[in-house]
Structures are given as C-alpha cells and as structure tokens.
Amino acid sequence: MRTTPTTTGRYVVTGARVLGREPTDLLLEDGVVAEVGPGLARGRAEVVDADGLVALPGLVDLHTHLREPGREDAETVETGTAAAALGGFTAVHAMANTDPVADTAGVVEQVWRLGREAGHCDVHPVGAVTVGLTGERLAELGAMAESAARVRVFSDDGACVSDAVLMRRALEYVKAFGGVVAQHAQEPRLTQGAQMNEGELSGVLGLAGWPAVAEEAIIARDVLLTAHVGSRLHVCHVSSAGSVEILRWAKSKGWNVTAEVTPHHLLLTDALATSYDPLFKVNPPLRTGEDVLALREALADGTIDAVATDHAPHSHEDKDCEWAAAAMGMLGLETALSVVQEAMVETGLLDWAGVADRMSSRPARIGLLDGHGHALEAGAPANLVLLDPAARRTIDPFALASRSRNTPYAGRELPGAVVATFLRGVPTVLDGKLQ
Amino acid sequence: MNRHLLSGADLSHADALLVLDTAEELAQLADRPIKKLPTLRGRTVVNLFFEDSTRTRISFEAAAKRLSADVINFSAKGSSVSKGESLKDTALTLEAMGADAVVVRHHASGAPHRLAHSGWIRGSVVNAGDGTHEHPTQALLDAFTMRRRLNGDRPLGTDLTGRRVTIVGDVLHSRVARSNVLLLHTLGAEVTLVAPPTLLPVGIDAWPCTTSYDLDGELAKSDVVMMLRVQRERMTTEGGGFFPSAREYSRRYGLDRRRVAVLPDHAIVMHPGPMNRGMEIAAEVADSARSTIVEQVTNGVSVRMAVLYLLLSGSTEITEVTA
Amino acid sequence: MTPTPDLTARATGPVPVGSVPGHRAGSSSRAGQPGGPATVGRPVLEAPDIGRALTRIAHEILERNKGAGDLCLLGIPSRGVPLAYRLGALIAQVEGSTVPVGALDVTMYRDDLRLRPARALEHTELPPEGVDGRTVVLVDDVLFSGRTIRAALDALGDLGRPRSVQLAVLVDRGHRELPIRADYVGKNLPTSMTERVHVLLEERDGRDAVTVEKTTAATPAAAARTGADDE
Ligand SMILES: [Zn+2]
C-alpha cells in the first residue's frame, strides 16, 4: 500500500510540453486537471518542474500478463503494476491466462481487487472467452461483464479461439454488453511445436517454423465473421506484413475491427534467434525486417490502432535453458514508451500526439475505459505521464520493478525516460521513482 | 580454429583442411602396433548425450581414448534430465568436475550453442548433433571419406572443388544435411539437395546449394550420392504427413540398383546411418563396392581425434593473450 | 632405398590457420616456413659449411656403426627431414648402397602442447624396413632444451623397438633441460638465452644458412618454444 502524500494533494506541473507542444502549466486538483495555461504556480500546491519534459495522457495497455494468481514467482499484481506505473501507464488490462484461469466472476474480481490494493495503476481484468482457455465452450462472459470488475475485453490469449463456430458465438454473445473479443491469432495445426518465425533463418537454425500465414489465416477468417455477425473484434499482437494487409482491407470495408502491435515487434527481428538465447523467444515470434517496417507504417497510418506491450514475465528457470524448452514472452511495460520513441518518433512516423493516440486514447476506447485516454484539458481526469525525450538509458534487467528479468533489451541503450506518472492527480512515479 | 565446434560454418577453408589433414595423419595409427597417443593425457572429455546415439558416442569415446584423455560418459536420457533447466544444472556439474571438453548430443536445436555461450562452462563444446540443426563432425567425416575416395590415397591439402554432391532425403529434419551443405560449400563442392517439396525447409533458396525434386535428373552428374535417413513416422498424420507412403517415397527418392547404374563409374554412395534398408536405400546398394558406409564409421574416429586434438591441445591462455 | 620424396610439396603440407582472430597469428609462426622471415640475424654457417658438416657426420655415423648395415635415419620435421635425406644420400655415396630414411613427427608427444596453440601434424613415414632391431639415428636441425628429442624417443617407442638410438644434429646451441646429448654434432654454437637460431635449408627455404638473431626478450626455453628454434 502506498503512503498518502504529505502535501495538500494539489500539484502544479510547470513548463510541460503537452503532446510535445509549447510549454505550459497544469494544475492537478481533486483528481482532475483543474486548469491548463501559463503561470499556474502558486501557493498551497506542490510544484513539479517539468521543464523540457513531454506530457502525455496516462498510457493504457490492452495486453498485460500480471501472472497473479498462479505464477507469483514470475510477477504479481503489485510488482506488475509498479512496472506499469514506471513505464508511464495508468491502466492495464490483465490477461486471463492465470492459474486458475480468469474465466469466472470470482477470479476477475480477485484480480481487480488486487489492483485496487496495489494502487499503482488501474487494473482491468480480461475475461477468458472459453472455460479454462481450452477452446471448448464459452465461459460465463455475462457474469464477468456484470461483476465488480466490469469486464469488457475477452480473450483466450496464449491460445487461439480456433474453432470457427465458437469464435462466431463469442463475437455474437459479447454484443449484449458491448464487449470485444481480443483474438490471439494462431492457427494451431500450422504452428505445432513452432519455435520461431518460419523463414530463411528457421531452416538454417533447425528451429520449427511459425509461419506468418498461421496468423493471417485466422485474422482473415475473424474479420469476415465479425462483419457477418456485426460484432467487434480486436486482434492481439499483429506481427506480419500480411496481417496488416488484411486489416487494412477489413477497415476499408468499415468493419468494426481494431488491432494492436507490441513494442518488440516494432523494433526487433528474427535475426536475434541466431543467438539461441530464449530472451528472444516470444509468441507470435519476432519476424523479418520487412514485417517490422510494415508494422511501423500500419501503426503510423492507423491501420493498427494501438501499441500493447504483451508484457510477459517469466521466471529465470523458464528462460535460462535451451531454446525449445524455454517459455515464450518478454517484459514490456517499463520499456514500451522508449521503444516506441525509437521506432516511431525518432523515425518521424509519429509525433507525440500520435503516440498519445496509439498508447492512450485508442486503447482506452477499445477497452471502453471512461476514465483514461482523455486529452489533457481542464476537466479531464488527471492521468498523465511526464517523460524526458532527451534522456538515454541503458536497460539493466536487475533495475526493473518487474519480478522477472526477461527483457530483450538488456544492455541496450534506449531513448527517453519516464520522470513522473499521475493517476487521478496522485503521483505514482516522481523523479523516476515509484511513490 | 574456434574454441568450440558447433556448426559446419565454424570452420574456414583453412580450418577444415587442417582438421582433414590432421585426421589423415591420425588415420595412420591404425597400422601401428600401439594405437594410442599420449597427447591428451590428464584432460577430461565428457560425452553428454541427451539422446540415444550409441554409434556417435562410441566414436567420440574411441577418439578421446586413443588420445589418452579421461572419458566420462554422461547419458542424460531417461533420467530426470528432460526439462530445460537441467541442461544448465548438468553443465554446472560438468564444470565442477573439470571437463576440458563437452561432446554434446541434444534433442533441442541450439543446445550446444547455449552450452558454449551461456557462461555455464569453460571447456570446449563439440556439437555431436543438436535437434534438427547440425552435426558438424559427421560432415567432417563425410568430407574426409569423399576426399579419400575421390582425391587419391594421400589427399593432403586438397579440397573438393568442383565435386558434385547430391544429398537425398529428409532435409527438413536433417542435421547431417545442414552441416554437410555448409562444410562442403566451404570446401568447394557443388551440393544439390533432393527431396519431396514437403521435406525441404522454407527459405532454402538462401542456402549455398541448389535443390531439386527429381532424383533421376541428378544422378548422371553426381560424384557423390548421400542418402539421408527417412523416418517412417513422417508419413503419418501425427508425424506431419510429409509423404503418402513408404512405397511411394522409395519409388521416387530411394536409391536402388536401377538408379545406381546411372551414376558415373567413380561415384560413391554414402549414408550417415542408421539405414532404413529398402526405404531410402536398397540393401544391395548399401553393401556394394560404391558404398562407403563402413569406411564412414572408421573415418569418424580419425576425424573426431583430429577435432579433439585441435580443440584441446592448444593453449586457451595464449589465444586470449594474442587476441 | 626410397627416393627423396617431393619435399617442396610437403613444405606446403601444414596449412596455416589464421581465420580466427588472434588464434594463431604471430606468436606461433615458426620462422623459416614459407612466408616466414627469410634471413634474420648474423650468419654463422654458410652453405659450404653446412655441406662439410653433414659430410663429416655421415662419415662419423659409418665409422661408429661399422658400416651402414642396419642403419635407419629418421628426420624430425620439419627441417630434420631434409637433413636426414641428405645424410642418407651422403652415406649411400660412400657405401654404394642405400640407407632407409624416414620422418618421425613428434607433435603428439610434446610436453608443451598446452603452452601454445594447437599445431598441424607433420607426416610420419617409416621406411618399409621398419625400426625393429635397427640402429635408428634421429636427425634434427637444432638441439636446445632436449625436449623434442625426449618426445621423439617416446614416439619411437610406440612404433617399434630399435636396437639402439643415436642423435645427429646440425647445431647444438646448449641450454639442455634434460639428460640428453647428441652423438653427432655439425657445429657447437654457444648462445645466450636471448638469442634465436634460424636454420635455413635449400629444400624448404631456397638456400642453406644458419643465423643467430639477437632478441630483446630474455628467452627461457619455455618462451623460446614460440620462437624459431626447432625445439
Ligand atoms: Zn498472445
């Protein structure tokens, strides 16, 4: 539990460049942005000097694995949300593949409550689509929607809802409460035992291939199903240029389809697998340079709506082994903004307003979160992040707040650093430190 | 030479010739009254086998013993060592025992690479076959055998420039094929891989070789035909359904007397073993004078002696100082 | 008698390995090999001196063994081998009959393998007559610490059982570390530990000469092993 600030609870952020524009001041009071404009520093408010810093609305992650309950050795709601706050997030969606699976109102409420107690950011549980993620029958989606956790995003992430009838039913069923099905698109028969992107390198390295077509085939089927039943589909961690083409086509039809891309798929390629270091083993796998460029372009032009971390903590034992035996996944929360800065901002593909849109506004809209993703104007909830775009930092896995160490950026220098995060006017991070 | 031998690509042209020439000198030992050399006295070689392969293990064991190394056989198959983390635990145990070289056979591609580069052990790592990745000493003994058969009795200093080698079979799952393509290319040979399209990996266009689906079209121009083992399970649905039946496979890709008759007179027939007689190779072909299958086994010991000598006898300290 | 093998072809035998940075560069190159330093240091023997020394040794071998009856000359690679063939030819001239000559590589028997990068093996070739029951004369270019000869004696023991073993060297430079002495010496050459002796032979180096090079480093025998002397 966090200690209550000793101050009045009023903050004046001075000289902040909101969305990278001209410096201004923001007065945060009673959980909202009370005033925006120059010269707001005055008595009885703590001053946060944001000279040179960029202010963005608090980031929203659509895809976070907090591992609790079940794998508290890898991450807990407490450590995972601490990592989120340090990464500039004010809300995360906690994936359902826990143990027990979040497929009942009881489990989603437990996760939601743990998030409230931790207090570092809002935790919105994702409900499983099928009982036990087994892809056999629908979980009680309505009960989860009506629970205290008010679940709106449903996903079997980690597994694909591969049965076409079941997927159709899920898409139909969530219409009753405005939900969305977030699909982990992976045709299971085409990816049995798959270890890395199927391409030139998988053949050379002797690792079983995970063909992009296994993702694209499911996305193609699902956008058609979505159109057919008039529902809403969200595609998790899009990883290939081919997927982008299908999404572009579906959107051109006006269908209600959204998609996310992870920071690592915007920066890293399958060439990293040549080290056989399982830090680079992830699902969907890292793909080719051409895929990376296509994903960046799609994020820039809005074909892909959001950046989502797929933050996937794994214990040391699950990664310190041979490639085939290792777990899939990598940490993401504490490096996401820096990776997006390197891949999208420094390449000129997105400005800071674009980053705010893809990392806060749109994901908040997809997840139906009322309290997040608002422009930093008077009256908006005081959820924001202050970042220093000029900073450069070398990633030290042991300096991360996450309980796990499986960052693919260990030893790598990345641009940008989160200086402060405010959740409803209260700093969760100040001077780069957890409050 | 590198400190480890993990891939056929680890060997430069000069390295490969050094190994082959050294093996050629060591092969003479067979004619001597005393077949043992004191070279690796006091050195420990561990055979770490996570997968059954009696023939490869025995070959490495004979090689190490002829060089007077202490040999520890560590068979990890069937023991508690099946889950990932234990590769590390096993490595730490070997390190504590002072292994100077670890010869590793593992079902996971890249496991020897992990062993060599994870910092778990200090000794040299020799890849004795990893998953569907590589088997570099097999490629060396194959090249050694080809050189002897095609370049004369004293082939010292020669490579395989211009020789045409046709490798036939389950390339997709074959570590032998991968290592051979890399090493034979380094040695100047022209390699053609022949298989049904289902058994050629995606991306093979980038390999330093050509490919074909038609065995009959390749035979007349081949100096060497190397048949790969094809597991019968590959035709089942659970096994991937790569080809319809054993009969169809052997009709299209098996080496029988009719096909051998098309080969040039000097051409040789190789197989890394173990063979499926009647499937990829007819019994009468395997036992014919063209077949080098028995020689390959004998040559394996000389080549592995050369590898162990070159990796182990030198001083790592000097390597580091002059680096 | 076997004809002199094509030594120029053999000279290119061991392939230098330099593909791995730092592995075999510099410190391990053996002077005088093709591509090595051609002439370094002060000349102490010229071609006629070497010819005279070998003629004298050939006569001493015959005198001591009362003829060439059961002799076998084994050169220690690299430069001991051409010297052995020259001695064989000189003995044949005097005796009118051939003497078996061969090569004995001692690499795998050296006691300093761990002190230097792995070396390419040289060819061992025994005359068809073998060594059992014969008087074997080991031939080398330079006698220094004596460790090469120790290795040669071990190698020889694994190949058969000679009646006796003798040692002929072109140069004895002193500084013995083992109880070994030469039976036939072309020239005794007192040297300091900071000096290196280079032997050049027509068959490998294009001309005959022996030179002594001053080096700045103190050269204990162990360090000298990476130097030029064929120890
Ligand atoms: Zn997923």
Side-chain angles (χ1 to χ4, degrees), chain C residues 5-92:
Chain C
D6 181 3
L7 289 166
T8 47
R10 283 295 305 142
T12 60
V15 178
V17 176
S19 63
V20 179
H23 197 76
R24 265 191 198 73
S27 68
S28 67
S29 75
R30 303 174 77 195
Q33 275 192 1
T39 310
V40 189
R42 161 177 62 90
V44 289
L45 291 181
E46 299 291 358
D49 306 321
I50 292 174
R52 273 192 297 278
L54 290 176
T55 304
R56 180 170 47 74
I57 291 175
H59 281 101
E60 285 174 9
I61 290 173
L62 286 172
E63 196 174 333
R64 171 122 163 229
N65 294 296
K66 302 185 173 57
D70 56 0
L71 279 184
C72 171
L73 305 182
L74 289 183
I76 298 173
S78 52
R79 285 177 185 68
V81 178
L83 289 174
Y85 278 99
R86 286 196 205 179
L87 285 172
L90 289 166
I91 290 171

Side-chain angles (χ1 to χ4, degrees), chain B residues 1-3 10 12 14-15 17-18 21-22 25-26 28-29 32-34 36-39 41-43 67 100 154 156-157 305 309-320 322-323, chain C residues 10 12-28 105 107-110 112-125 150 154-155 157-160 226:
Chain B
M1 288 229 319
N2 243 314
R3 200 158 68 82
D10 289 350
S12 66
D15 288 338
L17 286 192
L18 176 64
D21 287 350
T22 303
E25 297 296 344
L26 292 169
Q28 291 192 331
L29 274 184
R32 295 175 28 168
I34 294 171
K36 202 165 170 135
L37 293 168
T39 316
R41 213 151 43 93
R43 295 268 172 145
L67 293 171
D100 295 293
R154 296 284 301 165
L156 287 173
M305 284 177 77
Y309 161 67
L310 292 168
L311 290 181
L312 279 186
S313 72
S315 155
T316 50
E317 286 85 338
I318 286 182
T319 307
E320 277 147 25
T322 57
Chain C
R10 283 295 305 142
T12 60
V15 178
V17 176
S19 63
V20 179
H23 197 76
R24 265 191 198 73
S27 68
S28 67
D105 180 43
T107 307
M108 302 298 267
Y109 293 84
R110 302 193 73 98
D112 61 352
L113 287 171
R114 294 174 78 153
L115 301 177
R116 53 200 295 176
R119 317 159 45 130
L121 300 189
E122 304 271 358
H123 189 44
T124 290
E125 180 135 20
R150 199 275 312 153
D154 286 352
D158 282 357
L159 290 170
T226 56

Side-chain angles (χ1 to χ4, degrees), chain A residues 5-288:
Chain A
T6 52
T7 63
T8 57
R10 299 168 69 200
Y11 290 88
V12 176
V13 178
T14 60
R17 295 164 51 220
V18 175
L19 303 183
R21 297 182 192 130
E22 287 308 301
T24 186
D25 297 352
L26 299 106
L27 175 64
L28 314 181
E29 195 174 28
D30 298 329
V32 297
V33 178
E35 232 183 307
V36 179
L40 296 181
R42 51 191 182 230
R44 297 195 27 86
E46 193 161 321
V47 173
V48 176
D49 178 5
D51 185 32
L53 306 185
V54 170
L56 305 176
L59 308 182
V60 176
D61 193 14
L62 280 167
H63 198 140
T64 312
H65 295 276
L66 292 177
R67 301 289 185 229
E68 189 174 1
R71 284 307 299 264
E72 290 82 354
D73 58 323
E75 195 78 286
T76 62
V77 172
E78 164 68 30
T79 58
T81 55
L86 285 162
F89 291 88
T90 51
V92 298
H93 287 78
M95 273 300 169
N97 61 339
T98 48
D99 183 15
V101 172
D103 57 1
T104 62
V107 178
V108 294
E109 282 186 355
Q110 180 197 355
V111 172
W112 176 74
R113 217 168 274 123
L114 286 166
R116 301 240 305 189
E117 285 165 15
H120 303 303
C121 71
D122 289 350
V123 174
H124 296 279
V126 173
V129 175
T130 67
V131 175
L133 307 178
T134 55
E136 283 161 13
R137 60 195 176 88
L138 289 182
E140 292 184 347
L141 309 186
M144 291 188 270
E146 285 164 16
S147 73
R150 294 181 41 79
V151 176
R152 290 295 177 272
V153 181
F154 297 91
S155 179
D156 272 4
D157 183 62
C160 178
V161 183
S162 62
D163 182 290
V165 173
L166 202 55
M167 186 61 184
R168 173 192 173 141
R169 296 287 175 257
L171 285 165
E172 287 172 324
Y173 198 78
V174 297
K175 291 200 288 183
F177 32 85
V180 60
V181 179
Q183 176 72 294
H184 168 117
Q186 176 180 5
E187 208 294 313
R189 285 279 292 150
L190 281 172
T191 51
Q192 257 172 18
Q195 297 293 323
M196 70 170 293
N197 177 47
E198 183 166 71
E200 240 171 65
L201 280 172
S202 60
V204 170
L205 296 175
L207 293 171
W210 198 131
V213 66
E215 172 176 305
E216 293 152 6
I218 293 291
I219 296 176
R221 182 201 71 180
D222 286 354
V223 297
L224 292 168
L225 280 174
T226 303
H228 182 61
V229 303
S231 183
R232 190 152 78 91
L233 171 73
H234 177 71
V235 183
C236 295
H237 40 54
V238 170
S239 70
S240 82
S243 299
V244 167
E245 284 309 304
I246 296 164
L247 289 166
R248 200 168 272 141
W249 171 74
K251 288 195 163 188
S252 76
K253 297 278 191 186
W255 299 341
N256 207 341
V257 174
T258 57
E260 71 190 32
V261 61
T262 71
H264 45 271
H265 286 110
L266 290 172
L267 193 64
L268 309 178
T269 70
D270 61 352
L272 290 163
T274 52
S275 68
Y276 287 106
D277 187 337
L279 277 180
F280 304 110
K281 183 177 176 181
V282 65
N283 191 20
L286 300 177
R287 301 216 188 262
T288 68

Side-chain angles (χ1 to χ4, degrees), chain A residues 284-301:
Chain A
L286 300 177
R287 301 216 188 262
T288 68
E290 291 95 83
D291 291 306
V292 168
L293 294 179
L295 293 168
R296 289 180 181 180
E297 212 176 286
L299 183 66
D301 71 19

